[in-house]
Amino acid sequence: MRYKKTLTAAGTAALTLTVLTGGGAAADVDTRARTITGALTDGSDYLIEVPSDWNGTLLLYSHGYTSRPDNPAQDVSNEEVGKALLADGYALAGSSFPGPGWQTPAALGSQIATIDQFAEQVGAPRRVIAWGHSMGGEITTLLAERAGDRIDGAVAMCPDTAGVVPWFNSYLDGAFTMRALLDPDGTVPLVGAEDPAAAADYWAALARTAQQTSEGRARLALAASFATLPPWSDLGTDEPGRHDYEAQQINQFHSFVSVFAGFQTLVRADMEAAAGGPFSWNIGVNYRELYADLGSGPKAEVAALYREAGLDLGDDLDALESAPRVAPSDPQAIDAMNAYAPTGELQVPLLTVHTTGDNLVFPNLEAAYADRVRANHEGALLRQTYTAAPGHCNFTTSEQIAAIETMDRRLSAGVWPSTSPAAMTERAAETGTDTSNYLHYRASDMPRPELRP
């Protein structure tokens, strides 16, 4: 059954790591743009830019996760994209949200209030397209489900569309495997760490030590398969060959010592504080069955590295079965997180864009969301696209503008234009900015897509 939730501004009102928070305003780039700034009642700042030849469409931007104490309002992903969108006649708007860290619950109200400010100070837009990156993509997806009376379409880039709970259960499964096989006597907690910074150092050091031996590399590959770390994530590198398992594992190792260590600990701690407690668990998980259900690519890498190391994979899977588990100790925290998990009950068209090598917000989160959308019979409102690139939100300018243009055409025509890689690439080429790498890609299913134990 489809239903509508109406958002109002009033009603939804220390990791050194920034996850695509954007590059701020484009006002210094296009002097024709009228710039408006101010503060919202929830403490957020807002930023609005309107070109002199405004086409009537407002692009409402939601920025990504940041732990920096400074938290300026952002209305676009970066300066180059902002310059191009203003030149095309789009108005830009966005808010800072009330603070740093995980801000999804509060950000929904902040963004609705920003639309209200735009209407009051500029005029009612002909249409509103919400868009955003990373956490901003999660916010954008929720706006597409809950604010159909305020926005007309949405473009979510590298978003968590499955919900924080299954996403961070993937982090837990990777960390659980590492500790059980590489440091079975270790005492660093998998959830609820009292010293998240020390825990982050622990996971990075554990990965570095393991990387020095063939046995350790094999076990890191197994942990990566459960965490769903992609085999290509190192910026500035070519994609490893299908059977180049050594290069694939090196990419995953670099993920372990960087974004994985930080998100499993510091970002998890921030989210646990927001939810009121730990929200991840692995009680009842059969890791032998989980491994059997993985795609052929991860299993081929793991099998090859286990053979090279002379290890018995069955023995290690048995060790995982007997290792101490994390119980779902705080059902209220799980419920608090799930209150902001996308449901698939779309009210407006949604286009998602994801890099295939995203080692932070994993591409297979998209597969879980597609299942929910189909279950709600809203498949006609969703299109999912992918670009061939390593890392998180690593999009070119032309790829981002092509996605915006695709949604604009969908809203003008009432039907989707083609979102095939060829069509998206052609649309990107029309921007005349840089290269595009859209491709045919099917996201693998999540090992654990469930929202509750």
Side-chain angles (χ1 to χ4, degrees):
M1 176 179 294
R2 185 175 175 184
Y3 64 94
K4 178 173 285 191
K5 300 176 183 176
T6 300
L7 289 183
T8 64
T12 53
L15 167 66
T16 306
L17 173 70
T18 300
V19 184
L20 213 130
T21 60
D28 294 337
V29 182
D30 188 338
T31 57
R32 299 174 302 154
R34 172 190 175 196
T35 301
I36 304 168
T37 61
L40 303 174
T41 57
D42 67 358
S44 304
D45 295 326
Y46 65 86
L47 171 64
I48 294 170
E49 295 181 87
V50 188
S52 59
D53 56 348
W54 179 36
N55 62 18
T57 296
L58 169 63
L59 301 180
L60 179 70
Y61 184 71
S62 297
H63 69 72
Y65 184 101
T66 179
S67 62
R68 300 180 317 201
D70 60 313
N71 186 40
Q74 298 172 51
D75 64 354
V76 72
S77 57
N78 62 57
E79 190 173 90
E80 184 177 4
V81 173
K83 179 180 179 179
L85 291 173
L86 287 168
D88 285 342
Y90 292 106
L92 311 176
S95 68
S96 62
F97 315 147
W102 188 67
Q103 289 288 309
T104 294
L108 297 172
S110 301
Q111 295 298 78
I112 295 300
T114 299
I115 297 175
D116 292 340
Q117 286 294 325
F118 185 94
E120 179 181 330
Q121 301 194 50
V122 179
R126 176 174 56 91
R127 69 173 53 132
V128 178
I129 298 174
W131 71 301
H133 291 71
S134 196
M135 181 183 74
E138 175 186 62
I139 294 163
T140 296
T141 301
L142 290 171
L143 289 170
E145 294 185 349
R146 304 184 182 193
D149 58 334
R150 306 304 306 276
I151 70 170
D152 299 282
V155 178
M157 298 186 173
C158 50
D160 164 28
T161 50
V164 168
V165 170
W167 175 28
F168 269 71
N169 273 343
S170 294
Y171 279 101
L172 171 65
D173 289 336
F176 170 77
T177 302
M178 289 176 67
R179 194 177 70 178
L181 300 181
L182 299 172
D183 186 22
D185 297 323
T187 58
V188 170
L190 296 169
V191 301
E194 294 183 1
D195 188 345
D201 291 342
Y202 166 81
W203 294 114
L206 190 61
R208 290 190 182 98
T209 299
Q211 190 67 14
Q212 297 174 17
T213 66
S214 59
E215 294 86 355
R217 291 190 292 272
R219 286 167 171 153
L220 284 179
L222 181 61
S225 73
F226 290 134
T228 68
L229 293 178
W232 181 36
S233 56
D234 287 350
L235 300 180
T237 66
D238 293 330
E239 184 173 10
R242 181 179 178 184
H243 302 297
D244 190 351
Y245 303 123
E246 179 181 354
Q248 293 174 19
Q249 194 277 326
I250 288 174
N251 274 255
Q252 292 164 339
F253 161 68
H254 291 155
S255 295
F256 274 124
V257 299
S258 56
V259 293
F260 181 92
F263 265 65
Q264 164 60 17
T265 53
L266 294 119
V267 176
R268 178 185 289 281
D270 172 52
M271 291 181 166
E272 287 176 345
F279 49 82
S280 294
W281 73 90
N282 66 349
I283 286 285
V285 176
N286 185 317
Y287 284 92
R288 185 177 290 277
E289 292 180 359
L290 216 62
Y291 180 79
D293 290 338
L294 292 175
S296 59
K299 286 195 289 190
E301 178 195 345
V302 169
L305 293 176
Y306 265 75
R307 283 194 301 270
E308 179 182 334
L311 291 174
D312 188 315
L313 177 59
D315 288 345
D316 276 1
L317 292 173
D318 287 342
L320 293 181
E321 287 305 299
S322 60
R325 302 302 183 94
V326 174
S329 58
D330 199 331
Q332 290 182 337
I334 295 172
D335 289 343
M337 275 301 179
N338 284 337
Y340 294 94
T343 63
E345 297 169 284
L346 287 168
Q347 297 180 5
V348 300
L350 171 66
L351 174 69
T352 66
V353 191
H354 223 118
T355 53
T356 57
D358 194 331
N359 58 342
L360 195 158
V361 183
F362 315 121
N364 59 5
L365 297 166
E366 300 275 12
Y369 188 65
D371 289 341
R372 292 179 198 169
V373 171
R374 284 191 292 267
N376 285 289
H377 309 289
E378 300 291 1
L381 291 175
L382 177 67
R383 293 294 183 272
Q384 295 175 311
T385 61
Y386 298 89
T387 65
H392 179 56
C393 292
N394 185 23
F395 302 114
T396 66
T397 295
S398 65
E399 288 166 349
Q400 296 178 68
I401 296 172
I404 296 292
E405 292 288 348
T406 298
M407 180 53 63
D408 208 357
R409 295 185 190 190
R410 164 63 179 81
L411 297 176
S412 294
V415 294
W416 285 101
S418 175
T419 55
S420 70
M424 296 298 293
T425 297
E426 181 179 352
R427 219 161 284 142
E430 293 172 359
T431 69
T433 54
D434 50 18
T435 59
S436 169
N437 296 292
Y438 282 98
L439 81 163
H440 287 285
Y441 182 81
R442 183 189 178 279
S444 301
D445 291 333
M446 294 191 71
R448 286 209 284 149
E450 69 270 17
L451 290 167
R452 289 179 170 81

